[in-house]
Amino acid sequence: GRVGTGMVVLDVEADIPLVFAVLADIDRYPERISTVREAITYQTGERLRKTQFQLSKFRLCVNTELRCRQEARMLEFSIDPQRPAPFLQDATGFWFLEDVSAGGQVRTRVWLVAGIACSRLLPTAIVDYAASKALPRATTWVKPTMEGLYRELQEEAGA
């Protein structure tokens, strides 16, 4: 179909402040996420950031709004209504961070929940393919990046 929702949940060995900071660091998405080719921020505010992403080898252009709600440990994203994408009718979602540390082991549970509604311009086969691959691909970078950075910080603190 042309409408779908999905969720990915992973546990990472890193604390919430680091995970939140990395998720909110949109300018570095192209070097961290293989499907993000470019990220151009065109508006910044205290809690709102508007960024244009070029995605996949097709360089699909998506203009987004990211709302940072650090007190709620949540980053919410949506399509910028002032700059819609011709192939998307809607896309919304959020990253949510949960402290699941136990036994002296620092852990953060990272939730990614997203919903999408595609335009009739896209063939159903492409929509179905993207739906099956998009969320897992959107999170492959999370665990290795967060855990690597957290280890580096711990080593620097211990040195």
Side-chain angles (χ1 to χ4, degrees):
R2 302 203 180 277
V3 177
T5 57
M7 176 175 62
V8 174
V9 181
L10 352 126
D11 288 354
V12 297
E13 291 180 24
D15 61 17
I16 286 176
L18 177 115
V19 175
F20 192 92
V22 172
L23 289 173
D25 189 5
I26 291 173
D27 294 335
R28 297 191 66 186
Y29 276 20
E31 66 189 68
R32 292 180 171 148
I33 308 169
S34 64
T35 55
V36 177
R37 302 298 192 237
E38 195 169 8
I40 303 164
T41 297
Y42 55 90
Q43 183 180 331
T44 5
E46 188 178 324
R47 291 178 168 228
L48 175 68
R49 185 172 192 158
K50 294 187 176 194
T51 303
Q52 179 182 86
F53 291 101
Q54 288 185 9
L55 306 173
S56 85
K57 62 184 173 190
F58 303 111
R59 293 203 172 262
L60 299 172
C61 202
V62 180
N63 296 294
T64 63
E65 295 182 338
L66 178 70
R67 286 182 172 69
C68 295
R69 297 182 35 215
Q70 197 158 5
E71 71 287 348
R73 300 183 316 270
M74 184 178 288
L75 291 107
E76 299 169 315
F77 54 88
S78 61
I79 295 295
D80 182 348
Q82 297 172 337
R83 295 185 178 191
F87 58 92
L88 284 177
Q89 291 175 331
D90 193 26
T92 58
F94 61 87
W95 294 93
F96 175 73
L97 308 178
E98 178 183 6
D99 185 359
V100 292
S101 300
Q105 184 73 30
V106 174
R107 281 191 187 275
T108 299
R109 182 159 293 147
V110 180
W111 299 75
L112 172 60
V113 178
I116 193 167
C118 294
S119 161
R120 295 186 193 280
L121 296 173
L122 285 178
T124 306
I126 291 175
V127 174
D128 292 343
Y129 174 78
S132 69
K133 303 286 185 194
L135 281 181
R137 279 194 181 160
T139 55
T140 56
W141 67 283
V142 172
K143 190 172 180 69
T145 300
M146 304 299 177
E147 291 182 354
L149 288 170
Y150 188 71
R151 272 193 305 275
E152 284 177 29
L153 288 172
Q154 295 305 301
E155 289 167 9
E156 287 174 14

